[in-house]
Amino acid sequence: MLRYAVLFAMMHLLSGAIAQDLSELDKRNGFKDIKLTTPVDSVKGLKFRKDFRESDEFECKLYSVEHGDYEKIGEVAVKKVELKAYKGLIYEIAIVTEKDPRLMKALQSIFGLPEYDLKSETYFWKTSNITLKFRSHSKNLLELVYYSTIVRKMMKDDKGKKVEAIANDF
């Protein structure tokens, strides 16, 4: 019994050490050639959907992307690609695909084992610049969402500047 416990612990350590490379997440910086923190108008097949307020305060834009380059991930069909932009910079990339276990295996082979958030039932990989979330979207679909921590920090900084401007106006 003890031998199995030691073997399991060693396998767990080795699997994390061999595959874990979150620097690859920063290096790729997004999905295919859609990169976080880059100008949204550089994306092929971009279609404006609507203006909205992120967190009820930041003026942002939502776009859909329809282009042949984004229709598949390997053999897995992509159903939808959406982008969110703040001040013209991409801060979120959402991809909805068919459910296929090969997607998780591929992500693990690139970025290593994910962490798991039990509350939201979401797997995720996180660096200081990017978070990639992977979860079920519906019975037959999966969702991958890339978030830019850099642009989110810009939003918070802009909010701080607005508060400072109000404070200076007294």
Side-chain angles (χ1 to χ4, degrees):
M1 187 73 152
L2 180 60
R3 185 168 51 167
Y4 291 115
V6 171
L7 182 62
F8 177 75
M10 287 175 53
M11 286 175 38
H12 182 70
L13 285 172
L14 285 175
S15 67
I18 292 169
Q20 190 78 18
D21 188 9
L22 289 174
S23 65
E24 188 65 24
L25 184 59
D26 279 333
K27 182 179 165 189
R28 291 178 183 233
N29 194 35
F31 174 67
K32 297 193 179 212
D33 64 352
I34 303 173
K35 305 299 181 189
L36 294 168
T37 70
T38 61
V40 69
D41 59 8
S42 66
V43 177
K44 301 175 279 196
L46 191 67
K47 294 186 192 242
F48 175 76
R49 298 251 324 267
K50 66 178 182 177
D51 290 310
F52 72 100
R53 287 189 172 275
E54 182 73 53
S55 304
D56 289 329
E57 58 185 310
F58 303 107
E59 293 180 22
C60 297
K61 297 186 181 296
L62 177 67
Y63 299 88
S64 62
V65 180
E66 296 172 15
H67 192 276
D69 289 355
Y70 314 119
E71 290 178 352
K72 289 190 174 284
I73 301 173
E75 298 173 355
V76 182
V78 172
K79 299 297 186 182
K80 177 170 65 170
V81 177
E82 289 185 333
L83 308 177
K84 290 182 182 178
Y86 175 68
K87 293 188 173 181
L89 300 176
I90 300 169
Y91 72 92
E92 185 176 306
I93 305 166
I95 303 111
V96 176
T97 70
E98 291 178 342
K99 265 196 181 163
D100 190 317
R102 295 178 295 179
L103 285 176
M104 176 57 98
K105 289 177 184 175
L107 290 168
Q108 286 177 337
S109 74
I110 299 167
F111 308 126
L113 295 174
E115 294 183 50
Y116 185 71
D117 180 359
L118 188 59
K119 186 176 180 181
S120 65
E121 298 181 357
T122 302
Y123 291 95
F124 66 95
W125 295 264
K126 186 174 185 173
T127 71
S128 59
N129 298 324
I130 300 170
T131 301
L132 170 56
K133 294 186 176 182
F134 180 88
R135 63 182 167 223
S136 178
H137 183 72
S138 67
K139 184 178 179 182
N140 298 314
L141 299 175
L142 293 172
E143 180 181 48
L144 292 99
V145 183
Y146 295 83
Y147 299 95
S148 169
T149 308
I150 296 167
V151 177
R152 294 271 185 180
K153 186 179 180 316
M154 280 177 50
M155 289 176 180
K156 288 180 183 176
D157 290 347
D158 288 350
K159 180 180 178 179
K161 289 175 188 172
K162 288 178 185 176
V163 170
E164 187 176 313
I166 292 169
N168 290 336
D169 202 29
F170 276 103

